[in-house]
Amino acid sequence: QLFTLPFSNCYSFGNGVESNRIRDDFNTQYIRNGVKASTVLAKHYEEERKATGMIHSGIYNSVSGINETNQFIAGKKITKDLNPRHGSIQVMKSRNTNMVVVTEDKCFNILADKDALFNADGNAQLLSKRSVFGQSTPYQGDYGTKHPESFVIDNFRSYFVDAVRGQVCRLSMDGVTPISSQGMHDWFADNLKPGTVDSVKTEIKKIIGTFDDRKNLYNVSITQDLTTLKNPNNPKAYPTSLEDKVYTVSYSENTKGWVAFKDLDLENGLSINNDFYTFKHGNLWKEYSNDTRLNFYGVQKEASLTAILNDEPGSIKTFNSINYEGTQAKVNIN
């Protein structure tokens, strides 16, 4: 017959003899639950989400066997709070020995493992201090993002999309610069905001940012969610979802402009060892590895080119993304 004993946390010897002392030695400590709280709080204990606060865990050292990543002791100087008026924190990336934090409306540079002391003249001096996060310095310009999936890093440059302001920004050593104003200001202003055209409601579903090291291009893939509006003539007809519309545009640092529109609907992408990889339907694809031109994800595409070189021949033009190579500058036909 099976009996259930009302004991737990004890050593069993398999012969019916059990002990609740460590190693079953004489006068050793009992196996207990530990210290129990003997007081209560005035308000209910509940979860709190701090969208503008940061906290660092304990250290991790695999060599010495120290793992304190599950310790968040608020009494230590491991916390940092930003001004909540700038919105929630969207991106946190390390750059050199500091941290770059991008909120909804602002970008910050936060000192890591050090702090700054400001003199009377306003100049700062770095100090070694037992604090994880030090002085936070905002970058010039009220630019941020609500689409952290558009944030990518290329060496000392970072790129992200500020859909609220209709801008694509570059975060470099000299601060934040809107690169969408380089010939594409109106296009991004129109396609990064929700609207209604011909009884079809448009909303931004996702904005994927990737960087192609091989071509030195920052690719922005904008996916628009299209929904038909409710027909007032037919109250029983509910709004229906249409096929998503995807735009992919590429920015080049070499020409300082937007050089291509691409018919690509990718899920993500990354560059490794001068090779560019993209993800589609959970599969990994290697770009520039197929000899068949305009073949993406097993589907053959078509391309077209419209030349505007002779448009308004009386005006002076400057082309940054067109190169000519040949034996003569002009070719006479017939």
Side-chain angles (χ1 to χ4, degrees):
Q1 188 176 2
L2 180 63
F3 294 94
T4 301
L5 299 177
F7 301 103
S8 61
N9 294 334
C10 60
Y11 290 95
S12 176
F13 300 95
N15 56 359
V17 179
E18 295 183 350
S19 174
N20 61 348
R21 293 181 180 270
I22 297 178
R23 296 183 180 273
D24 193 36
D25 291 336
F26 174 75
N27 203 23
T28 55
Q29 295 182 356
Y30 285 96
I31 301 177
R32 298 178 179 178
N33 295 331
V35 180
K36 297 182 180 179
S38 59
T39 183
V40 295
L41 299 176
K43 61 180 182 179
H44 294 287
Y45 181 82
E46 59 185 7
E47 180 182 1
E48 179 184 3
R49 292 183 176 269
K50 301 185 67 175
T52 59
M54 297 171 286
I55 186 171
H56 198 276
S57 68
I59 64 174
Y60 172 79
N61 192 336
S62 60
V63 178
S64 58
I66 299 176
N67 185 5
E68 298 179 354
T69 56
N70 63 334
Q71 297 183 14
F72 297 89
I73 304 175
K76 296 183 178 180
K77 297 180 180 180
I78 59 175
T79 61
K80 182 71 175 181
D81 291 321
L82 299 179
N83 196 333
R85 67 180 297 270
H86 300 303
S88 61
I89 296 175
Q90 299 291 320
V91 179
M92 294 180 60
K93 293 291 184 179
S94 61
R95 186 170 69 177
N96 296 332
T97 58
N98 298 327
M99 289 284 297
V100 173
V101 177
V102 181
T103 63
E104 297 179 14
D105 300 321
K106 203 73 173 177
C107 299
F108 295 89
N109 179 47
I110 300 179
L111 302 179
D113 292 332
K114 52 186 174 295
D115 205 348
L117 176 64
F118 289 88
N119 300 329
D121 56 358
N123 296 324
Q125 294 181 354
L126 294 180
L127 296 177
S128 178
K129 193 176 180 181
R130 294 178 58 88
S131 60
V132 178
F133 302 108
Q135 177 68 26
S136 59
T137 304
Y139 289 99
Q140 295 296 328
D142 294 331
Y143 296 105
T145 183
K146 289 186 178 180
H147 297 275
E149 68 275 8
S150 67
F151 188 91
V152 297
I153 297 179
D154 172 49
N155 294 327
F156 58 91
R157 300 188 187 97
S158 303
Y159 303 88
F160 61 90
V161 178
D162 190 348
V164 177
R165 296 167 180 83
Q167 300 279 357
V168 180
C169 300
R170 176 186 60 207
L171 177 59
S172 185
M173 302 301 293
D174 56 350
V176 183
T177 304
I179 59 176
S180 56
S181 59
Q182 300 177 3
M184 294 282 287
H185 175 76
D186 292 337
W187 189 90
F188 281 109
D190 295 336
N191 290 274
L192 288 177
K193 66 179 181 180
T196 303
V197 179
D198 298 333
S199 300
V200 177
K201 184 180 179 181
T202 304
E203 292 183 354
I204 300 299
K205 185 176 182 180
K206 60 181 179 179
I207 302 176
I208 303 296
T210 58
F211 194 87
D212 186 357
D213 282 344
R214 183 166 179 174
K215 299 295 184 180
N216 197 22
L217 297 176
Y218 171 57
N219 303 313
V220 180
S221 299
I222 304 172
T223 303
Q224 295 179 347
D225 187 9
L226 305 180
T227 306
T228 59
L229 298 178
K230 189 173 183 180
N231 190 355
N233 299 326
N234 187 6
K236 295 183 180 181
Y238 290 94
T240 57
S241 298
L242 303 178
E243 185 178 358
D244 295 339
K245 183 181 293 185
V246 181
Y247 300 99
T248 300
V249 291
S250 300
Y251 177 82
S252 174
E253 286 289 346
N254 298 330
T255 60
K256 301 297 181 182
W258 300 88
V259 296
F261 275 84
K262 302 177 182 179
D263 187 15
L264 295 179
D265 183 10
L266 49 87
E267 298 171 353
N268 210 332
L270 73 160
S271 295
I272 301 177
N273 297 331
N274 203 29
D275 288 325
F276 184 50
Y277 300 89
T278 58
F279 295 88
K280 181 67 175 179
H281 300 308
N283 297 321
L284 180 65
W285 297 77
K286 183 179 180 180
E287 303 292 331
Y288 314 115
S289 61
N290 192 353
D291 295 334
T292 305
R293 302 298 182 183
L294 301 176
N295 189 277
F296 299 97
Y297 311 123
V299 179
Q300 189 64 35
K301 302 289 185 177
E302 295 182 358
S304 62
L305 176 64
T306 302
I308 59 172
L309 298 180
N310 294 328
D311 190 22
E312 298 182 3
S315 62
I316 300 176
K317 310 174 187 64
T318 300
F319 297 94
N320 294 326
S321 58
I322 296 179
N323 296 324
Y324 173 77
E325 181 180 355
T327 57
Q328 59 190 61
K330 182 180 180 180
V331 178
N332 294 322
I333 301 177
N334 299 329

